[in-house]
Amino acid sequence: MRIIRGKYKGRHVPTPVGFKARPTTDFAKEGLFNILENVYVDFEAEPTALDLFAGTGSIGLELASRGCGKVISVEKDFKHWQFLTRVQKELQVEEWLPLKGDVFKYLHTYQERLSKNASSEQSFKFDIIFADPPYALENLKEIPDAAIPLLAEEGVMILEHGGNYDFSQHPYFVDHRNYGSVNFSFFRIEKH
């Protein structure tokens, strides 16, 4: 795994042998971040980001490297989470927080916390939400509706998925990009 740009640019993080996660390819990751930087995100404003189904941590690290002020990565698998925690300490990425947990439970709990503490520093909406679930995940179609309540106005949510999904009818869908077998659907809450 390689960090493409930003303050950790060029750093290689070898993933353990037998790692079950499927990392986003460098080709797709480069395309994704070109779109984010040129269309959706001002990284100089130190946006906040939520990385769901973090896997290798490749996207979370790239977000932190490019200037996000805070990145929370959620990963259910214990060995993957251990790896993320080790990498976070080794690279001393202070703005990156790997959490172990179920994504859907995390989203539900965070949404409840938001509704109770709308002005709390501990509960804020995210400028960027990225989700890279296993392509065969049974409830993959539920991810946008579960995550969008945590998205800040004018923020962007990106869902990585296989080619057999079409989110174009979703009310917050704004774009779709394809990089080989990797598909990204973009969702946004437009400013009123």
Side-chain angles (χ1 to χ4, degrees):
M1 173 175 70
R2 175 178 70 96
I3 302 171
I4 300 169
R5 284 198 30 210
K7 61 182 168 182
Y8 305 110
K9 177 183 177 177
R11 300 292 292 266
H12 286 269
V13 182
T15 52
V17 176
F19 213 59
K20 291 185 285 184
R22 167 200 35 78
T24 303
T25 65
D26 278 358
F27 172 66
K29 188 164 67 169
E30 220 161 310
L32 169 66
F33 277 92
N34 281 337
I35 294 165
L36 290 179
E37 288 179 336
N38 293 306
V39 180
Y40 296 108
V41 179
D42 176 7
F43 282 100
E44 289 181 13
E46 297 186 349
T48 55
L50 179 61
D51 174 24
L52 303 171
F53 306 95
T56 63
S58 172
I59 298 295
L61 275 170
E62 195 73 41
L63 287 163
S65 183
R66 291 180 189 235
C68 283
K70 185 166 190 86
V71 179
I72 297 174
S73 290
V74 182
E75 174 55 50
K76 185 176 183 176
D77 185 279
F78 181 73
K79 287 184 179 179
H80 294 194
W81 172 77
Q82 275 186 318
F83 171 73
L84 299 177
T85 304
R86 183 175 55 79
V87 170
Q88 189 269 340
K89 287 177 183 162
E90 285 175 9
L91 296 182
Q92 298 177 351
V93 186
E94 294 176 16
E95 56 278 321
W96 185 38
L97 176 63
L99 296 177
K100 185 191 173 307
D102 176 83
V103 164
F104 289 99
K105 286 180 184 172
Y106 177 84
L107 292 172
H108 178 75
T109 303
Y110 198 94
Q111 188 175 353
E112 282 185 341
R113 207 166 57 200
L114 269 177
S115 61
K116 290 177 187 170
N117 309 315
S119 61
S120 169
E121 197 174 293
Q122 296 296 318
S123 301
F124 52 87
K125 290 197 172 191
F126 295 91
D127 301 303
I128 305 164
I129 298 176
F130 179 81
D132 181 10
Y135 286 4
L137 184 71
E138 197 173 293
N139 49 350
L140 187 143
K141 281 194 162 208
E142 297 171 19
I143 295 170
D145 290 333
I148 286 173
L150 279 60
L151 189 63
E153 195 173 81
E154 291 292 296
V156 62
M157 182 199 161
I158 309 98
L159 174 61
E160 182 175 334
H161 57 85
N164 54 330
Y165 287 95
D166 178 6
F167 290 93
S168 61
Q169 298 307 307
H170 193 280
Y172 295 111
F173 174 86
V174 290
D175 197 3
H176 173 264
R177 300 292 173 104
N178 171 293
Y179 298 92
S181 63
V182 177
N183 289 264
F184 295 118
S185 287
F186 294 79
F187 304 86
R188 193 163 204 195
I189 300 173
E190 301 292 348
K191 202 172 194 175
H192 296 338

